[in-house]
Amino acid sequence: MHEGELELTDDTAARLIARRFPKLALMPLQRVRTAGTVNTVFRIGDDLAARFPLTGETEVALDREADAMTEFAAVCPVAAPRSVGIGSSTSEYPSAWSVQTWVPGVTASHDRHAASESLASDVGDVIASLRAADVRGRVFDGHGRGGVLADHDEWIELCIDRSGHLLDAPRVRRLWNALRGLPSSGVDLMSHRDLTPFNLLVSDDRLAGVLDGGGFGPADRALDLVATWHLFDAPRRRIIRDRLGSGDVEWMRGAAWAVQQAMGLVWYYEESNPTMSDLGRSTMRRLLDDPELSSIG
């Protein structure tokens, strides 16, 4: 999926885990097939998972991620992975890697829960809980989504150019131009920062867990609203909007972040990860078909 992606065999993963965590050496090890784009994941026994970054990572970065996961799990109202330990880069795998607790559940789907009031209510509760966490004087770190919308103009233009055969590029451009200049909707709040269906686990149409809390930190208060566009139809989006009391600017900024994220998925993963590309296209259809957004774009 990525240039320079690191290869990892099951045998190599088993050796690395056994060397770093001898007590886990005899536990069953199973590669987890996911639509994820960041890590190769192995389940260790019933309760643990090893995550090996596809494009390499440092121990310092994974230490920061572990701290954020701990903070996230403490405020998330459903289960979330917690760090168990970090493995060092070696000649066999030139990247640091980590072991975390395993959270059971089925990955959410962009088309399976569109009309689920129970799941929409749960997602709204999660966002509200994260927003209530103490920022502790921190500010947005400037990396990725969560700052100034217009900073992503060049990225959006690239995505539009690469996606003309997959969606209505002129409509996307008009929508982005209408959203990119929106003012701030308030102070930054604590945010998951990547609240996509692939990071949400469900059981019996209820939210059972949230993955990848390692990016937890202050950001635009509207950022986590991307989940509403990835997952739900208009009536269920309204449930979340009402739960959070989102005003017009905040809601529209959430839509803008959804455009920024979804457009990258549409073309980048068209061949290497069709499931991820399908998510992007589904989200863009919801955004482009929304009457409120259509009126401004």
Side-chain angles (χ1 to χ4, degrees), residues 74-287:
V75 299
C76 184
V78 295
R82 293 177 180 269
S83 176
V84 173
I86 295 170
S88 300
S89 170
T90 67
S91 58
E92 286 188 286
Y93 197 75
S95 170
W97 50 278
S98 63
V99 171
Q100 306 171 1
T101 56
W102 174 269
V103 176
V106 178
T107 303
S109 169
H110 66 82
D111 57 1
R112 195 167 62 241
H113 316 288
S116 173
E117 293 188 3
S118 59
L119 187 59
S121 178
D122 291 345
V123 170
D125 287 346
V126 164
I127 296 174
S129 295
L130 303 186
R131 288 181 171 191
D134 191 351
V135 178
R136 293 193 279 118
R138 294 168 292 180
V139 297
F140 175 62
D141 61 13
H143 298 297
R145 291 174 292 276
V148 178
L149 288 167
D151 287 349
H152 301 271
D153 285 347
E154 185 175 347
W155 168 249
I156 290 294
E157 193 57 39
L158 172 65
C159 291
I160 291 172
D161 289 344
R162 299 289 180 90
S163 305
H165 62 297
L166 297 169
L167 41 71
D168 189 334
R171 286 184 67 198
V172 175
R173 185 176 284 109
R174 288 195 297 272
L175 178 58
W176 179 253
N177 286 338
L179 296 173
R180 61 178 292 280
L182 286 166
S184 170
S185 56
V187 298
D188 289 350
L189 299 175
M190 296 300 286
S191 169
H192 179 280
R193 298 178 60 170
D194 192 25
L195 211 57
T196 67
F198 301 111
N199 286 329
L200 299 174
L201 300 176
V202 297
S203 178
D204 296 328
D205 221 27
R206 301 304 301 259
L207 189 64
V210 180
L211 305 178
D212 285 351
F216 188 51
D220 182 347
R221 62 197 299 130
L223 181 55
D224 282 344
L225 293 176
V226 297
T228 67
W229 298 98
H230 286 317
L231 282 168
F232 301 113
D233 62 17
R236 266 42 68 169
R237 294 198 294 269
R238 171 56 68 173
I239 290 174
I240 297 176
R241 184 173 183 175
D242 290 345
R243 168 69 177 84
L244 299 173
S246 297
D248 290 345
V249 172
E250 180 180 299
W251 188 251
M252 294 296 180
R253 285 185 68 91
W257 290 122
V259 172
Q260 193 277 349
Q261 185 173 63
M263 284 301 294
L265 305 180
V266 168
W267 67 273
Y268 188 88
Y269 295 110
E270 181 185 4
E271 296 183 1
S272 63
N273 193 333
T275 301
M276 194 68 77
S277 178
D278 287 346
L279 168 62
R281 279 180 279 183
S282 170
T283 301
M284 289 308 305
R285 283 194 296 271
R286 288 184 176 132
L287 289 156

